[in-house]
Amino acid sequence: MYIIVTYDVNEKRVNKVRKILKKYFTWVQNSVFEGEITFGKLEKCKRELLSVIEKEEDSVYFYEMEYKLVCNKKVLGQEKNYDSIIL
Amino acid sequence: MQKSLYLTSNGRLKRHENTLYFEIGDEKRAIDIENVEQIHIFGEVDLNTKALNYISQYGIILHFYNYYGFYTGSFLPRKKNVSGDVVVRQALHYLDREKRLFLAYCFVESAVYHMMRNLRERKEAEAFLIAIEDEWEKGRFNISNIAELMGLEGRIRNIYYQSFNQFLPDDFAMEKREKRPPTNPINALISFGNSLIYSHTLSQIYQTQLDPSISFLHEPSEKRFSLSLDISEIFKPLIVDTVIFKLLNNRQLELEHFDEDLNYCYLNQEGKKIFLKEFQNKLETTVRHRQLNRNVSYKGFIRLECYKLIKHFIGDQIYSPLRAWW
């Protein structure tokens, strides 16, 4: 499944959240990650996040899509191709 | 799907902030380590034990290739799926002459089937298809040992490679198959593709309980993981050759993507990228599996082949090699 993650977290914890997310997704913009992931991995990622964030203050959004194609992403300006597998 | 990474640039693999970074000069790229299954390294890459330790925690396999794209070796993390029972039974199948011949025959049968499948769609290669069929029907019933089987397979492969000249662009004509070193572009492509499929197969075998060094068709020499040669026999025509046909016939790869030295030929960096991209696409292409009732990728089929072998070894179900039905 294909996921877009955005987060709005208190400055104290923003780095912790960033570090967790970049293990699972590719970074596309400030506070935005996206990528292909399995159900199990996603659950693992959510667990890790829950141990870091304050539920009253912070929020992390997951936009879950079944396929990447559903997402139909359009880009204005620079597209940064961070998820290519050939480097 | 767990992804494979291909590093063709020179740079440094680094463990940083509890994930993996690939640094190309000043540019830094974070790698989502949780989703990586294997990393293929073609460029000059530095890495240290800190990175290796971290990589092995996630069971990621590193495959190294030299400057010319030939397979050098792999870094295999501690094996997690071990079963002494399966290994012992696998060895028993090697020791028994009849049982070994059966498995070896299966691999060749499937390989020949896929070679014929590749030619069947092409009108120009009809004569060669008939020649292969003849050779196969004539030879398959009087095989008494592995050497004869290898001989038959070699003869068929010869005819098969000859037929390439009929439907590939003229710049890519091939007189005969040459390895070590490949002397012309098409030989270079086949060699490059084969070394890729070997390492991909090894990655898949490594995740099952099979022992990659006990093989059946190829002699299990002490110096390499020959079971991956056995299994990739099935997938060479199915994956590598179809990728080559597509890239050459669509003019995606041209002569400019090859470098030639003395009597040596290999893909340059740009060419490698084009090939790897198409190769990866192919591996991820899925086909509906009739028994499993779900979509299986080409990579998944390699893994399924391993599971079928395990089932065969433990006496659960007799091995029948893959025959592409689509």
Side-chain angles (χ1 to χ4, degrees):
Chain A
M1 105 175 111
Y2 197 74
I3 303 238
I4 300 170
V5 191
T6 63
Y7 56 93
D8 193 347
V9 182
N10 187 303
E11 234 175 276
K12 289 176 199 149
R13 292 174 291 273
V14 76
N15 230 347
K16 292 181 178 170
V17 170
R18 197 192 96 244
K19 282 182 186 176
I20 292 171
L21 284 173
K22 76 187 175 136
K23 281 198 288 186
Y24 296 87
F25 303 98
T26 35
W27 178 75
V28 275
Q29 279 179 340
N30 291 337
S31 310
V32 181
F33 283 82
E34 63 181 46
E36 193 84 42
I37 199 169
T38 61
F39 279 98
K41 287 271 162 65
L42 181 63
E43 218 39 51
K44 202 176 147 202
C45 176
K46 284 178 181 167
R47 288 269 150 148
E48 271 188 69
L49 288 171
L50 280 178
S51 67
V52 169
I53 59 171
E54 293 288 343
K55 276 186 176 168
E56 282 71 37
E57 214 182 322
D58 309 331
S59 67
V60 182
Y61 293 173
F62 289 86
Y63 300 90
E64 309 185 353
M65 274 152 286
E66 218 171 320
Y67 311 103
K68 191 177 179 178
L69 288 174
V70 180
C71 167
N72 202 4
K73 178 168 143 189
K74 298 280 190 306
V75 180
L76 277 183
Q78 279 292 303
E79 178 169 23
K80 298 169 193 163
N81 215 353
Y82 283 117
D83 64 336
S84 82
I85 54 159
I86 299 164
L87 297 174
Chain B
M1 174 125 143
Q2 298 284 84
K3 62 185 175 189
S4 320
L5 276 178
Y6 299 90
L7 311 182
T8 56
S9 324
N10 304 340
R12 184 176 183 83
L13 263 182
K14 200 173 164 190
R15 175 184 183 169
H16 181 60
E17 291 187 340
N18 226 17
T19 186
L20 209 56
Y21 274 86
F22 186 53
E23 293 180 348
I24 313 168
D26 294 336
E27 199 193 328
K28 254 181 159 189
R29 256 270 321 251
I31 294 167
D32 42 338
I33 193 163
E34 289 272 355
N35 302 319
V36 176
E37 184 189 33
Q38 40 183 305
I39 304 177
H40 297 258
I41 297 175
F42 294 92
E44 267 177 51
V45 174
D46 293 339
L47 73 171
N48 56 11
T49 44
K50 216 164 86 177
L52 279 179
N53 285 335
Y54 193 57
I55 284 167
S56 67
Q57 267 177 35
Y58 288 90
I60 295 169
I61 300 175
L62 295 182
H63 296 293
F64 297 94
Y65 302 81
N66 69 8
Y67 178 72
Y68 302 101
F70 293 118
Y71 177 65
T72 320
S74 307
F75 167 73
L76 301 165
R78 186 174 66 83
K79 191 159 173 151
K80 286 192 180 123
N81 270 332
V82 275
S83 158
D85 189 38
V86 170
V87 177
V88 169
R89 285 161 191 269
Q90 188 184 348
L92 280 176
H93 277 258
Y94 167 72
L95 290 170
D96 187 313
R97 211 172 136 270
E98 285 294 307
K99 285 179 178 168
R100 181 181 171 193
L101 197 57
F102 168 75
L103 283 170
Y105 178 81
C106 281
F107 293 132
V108 175
E109 187 200 18
S110 175
V112 173
Y113 179 84
H114 290 132
M115 281 188 242
M116 292 202 279
R117 180 174 178 271
N118 277 347
L119 298 188
R120 212 165 279 146
E121 298 147 13
R122 302 176 191 276
K123 280 226 158 52
E124 308 92 312
E126 219 173 87
F128 292 95
L129 179 63
I130 294 168
I132 291 179
E133 252 167 15
D134 272 359
E135 190 74 45
W136 176 238
E137 288 303 326
K138 208 166 62 196
R140 62 192 279 201
F141 294 114
N142 349 312
I143 293 162
S144 52
N145 59 46
I146 301 283
E148 279 176 34
L149 186 65
M150 286 285 250
L152 176 65
E153 194 248 340
R155 285 199 297 281
I156 289 177
R157 209 166 271 276
N158 236 337
I159 308 173
Y160 175 65
Y161 284 131
Q162 285 299 317
S163 73
F164 281 20
N165 289 333
Q166 303 297 315
F167 53 82
L168 291 184
D170 292 337
D171 335 344
F172 290 98
M174 167 170 68
E175 273 156 40
K176 62 176 199 292
R177 174 84 177 105
E178 281 161 330
K179 306 170 217 172
R180 276 167 276 176
T183 50
N184 55 10
I186 181 91
N187 274 316
L189 273 180
I190 297 173
S191 291
F192 184 62
N194 286 352
S195 51
L196 270 178
I197 198 93
Y198 289 148
S199 49
H200 270 278
T201 312
L202 178 61
S203 303
Q204 298 304 319
I205 294 175
Y206 201 70
Q207 286 163 38
T208 68
Q209 285 83 352
L210 292 173
D211 188 317
S213 55
I214 306 174
S215 61
F216 304 93
L217 177 60
H218 296 81
E219 211 50 54
S221 60
E222 285 159 26
K223 285 180 189 158
R224 50 189 186 167
F225 290 137
S226 37
L227 184 64
S228 79
L229 303 185
D230 275 9
I231 296 179
S232 46
E233 208 62 44
I234 297 174
F235 293 95
K236 277 191 305 204
L238 197 62
I239 298 176
V240 179
D241 297 349
T242 46
V243 169
I244 294 174
F245 297 159
K246 187 174 175 199
L247 287 176
L248 294 188
N249 282 330
N250 290 348
R251 295 266 166 205
Q252 277 167 279
L253 274 180
E254 299 276 9
L255 286 179
E256 68 192 43
H257 294 120
F258 294 87
D259 281 342
E260 271 181 73
D261 256 0
L262 221 53
N263 51 358
Y264 219 85
C265 186
Y266 49 89
L267 277 165
N268 62 19
Q269 205 182 14
E270 193 53 36
K272 269 182 204 151
K273 279 186 183 168
I274 296 173
F275 190 91
L276 288 170
K277 191 157 179 240
E278 192 56 44
F279 187 84
Q280 185 60 27
N281 275 347
K282 187 78 188 174
L283 282 178
E284 279 170 23
T285 311
T286 57
V287 177
R288 191 93 187 156
H289 194 288
R290 289 180 297 192
Q291 273 97 50
L292 296 178
N293 213 12
R294 65 176 167 89
N295 290 332
V296 178
S297 62
Y298 278 79
K299 193 166 94 184
F301 275 110
I302 304 180
R303 178 82 73 90
L304 284 181
E305 226 43 36
C306 301
Y307 289 143
K308 278 198 273 180
L309 278 172
I310 293 179
K311 281 193 147 198
H312 180 78
F313 294 145
I314 60 173
D316 196 14
Q317 200 173 52
I318 291 178
Y319 179 66
S320 77
L322 175 73
R323 281 159 156 265
W325 61 81
W326 55 93

